[in-house]
Amino acid sequence: MNTNRAKLEWNEKYSVGVELIDNQHKVMFATINDLIDAIDATPTKEVLRSIIDKLVEYKRFHFVTEEKYFREFAYAGTEDHIAKHQMFDTMLTKLQEESGDDTIMLAFGLVDFLEDWLVNHLMTADQAYKECFMKHGLK
């Protein structure tokens, strides 16, 4: 089931200047790419579910990391950014509900959603906190 889908490639323009957070973003890119590879390899539902679960867990871990620094640094955009994280969670839940037990449909929907959402989020919302985080000494 080859999708001929291009993989996500990390680009320094996505960097927020904080190694910890950039590395977390890179893990998300790699996990999305793992999902693309799995789809192309005609995987079992268990393989897809494992990658999807890893992505969901890692996303949760990443959001907690960012939100901890928002509070610690009294970031002015905290509420707006957390709302974006919550919208992501809502969309993820919707995708899961719409696909039901169809893991392959969920995998395709998730890749489509994440390719757009992640890049857009990195280029807009995450760039907005870059100055605040760096001002507080995160590198």
Side-chain angles (χ1 to χ4, degrees):
M1 180 190 319
N2 196 319
T3 61
N4 293 320
R5 188 181 288 273
K7 291 186 183 181
L8 292 178
E9 289 185 41
W10 178 259
N11 185 307
E12 283 306 307
K13 69 183 177 186
Y14 303 140
S15 175
V16 296
V18 177
E19 186 177 6
L20 171 69
I21 294 174
D22 283 347
N23 286 341
Q24 289 180 358
H25 289 150
K26 289 173 186 177
V27 168
M28 291 177 75
F29 271 58
T31 308
I32 293 166
N33 288 336
D34 289 346
L35 191 55
I36 291 168
D37 286 342
I39 290 168
D40 285 347
T42 314
T44 64
K45 287 184 179 186
E46 292 76 23
V47 168
L48 286 177
R49 177 54 61 191
S50 172
I51 296 169
I52 291 167
D53 289 348
K54 177 183 174 186
L55 193 56
V56 169
E57 257 326 292
Y58 201 81
K59 175 266 323 165
R60 196 172 294 133
F61 166 73
H62 172 65
F63 285 179
V64 166
T65 300
E66 284 186 342
E67 292 171 13
K68 174 186 91 155
Y69 289 120
F70 294 163
R71 288 183 199 66
E72 189 176 320
F73 302 150
Y75 171 55
T78 296
E79 286 184 29
D80 182 57
H81 201 115
I82 289 174
K84 286 177 173 48
H85 287 173
Q86 290 168 340
M87 285 179 3
F88 176 96
D89 289 339
T90 300
M91 186 60 187
L92 185 59
T93 299
K94 183 179 176 206
L95 278 171
Q96 290 171 318
E97 288 170 355
E98 287 175 353
S99 61
D101 290 334
D102 189 341
T103 308
I104 292 175
M105 185 174 136
L106 175 58
F108 274 104
L110 196 54
V111 167
D112 286 344
F113 168 62
L114 285 172
E115 284 175 327
D116 294 335
W117 189 89
L118 184 59
V119 169
N120 182 50
H121 190 76
L122 288 173
M123 293 302 296
T124 57
D126 284 0
Q127 293 303 313
Y129 68 64
K130 184 176 185 173
E131 185 179 327
C132 172
F133 281 23
M134 292 177 85
K135 187 174 79 178
H136 283 89
L138 281 185
K139 293 179 184 158

